[in-house]
Amino acid sequence: MAIPGELAIEAELRPNGAAELAALVPGTERTGARTVRCQAASPRAALDVLIVWSALTSHYLSR
């Protein structure tokens, strides 16, 4: 199965406020109170965004 050139990723971030931080990542849009979305140009870019979202959420939880 071929991987598409562009990928849309969306995540629901459970900690209140984490979506606000994730929305600061370039190319990310806030789609709801706890959800963010990003249209990634490549699978690598999608992975990079997921890593940054995860790090921001982890940082948010550790405060």
Side-chain angles (χ1 to χ4, degrees):
M1 181 165 118
I3 297 174
E6 289 190 14
L7 299 171
I9 54 174
E10 189 167 355
E12 180 179 347
L13 303 172
R14 299 248 176 218
N16 290 334
E20 187 174 332
L21 287 174
L24 297 173
V25 175
T28 300
E29 64 178 304
R30 187 119 179 235
T31 57
R34 288 198 248 171
T35 55
V36 290
R37 183 177 195 278
C38 182
Q39 187 76 26
S42 69
R44 176 58 198 214
L47 181 59
D48 289 345
V49 168
L50 289 171
I51 290 168
V52 172
W53 286 354
S54 176
L56 287 172
T57 302
S58 295
H59 175 73
Y60 183 81
L61 289 172
S62 68
R63 297 189 316 170

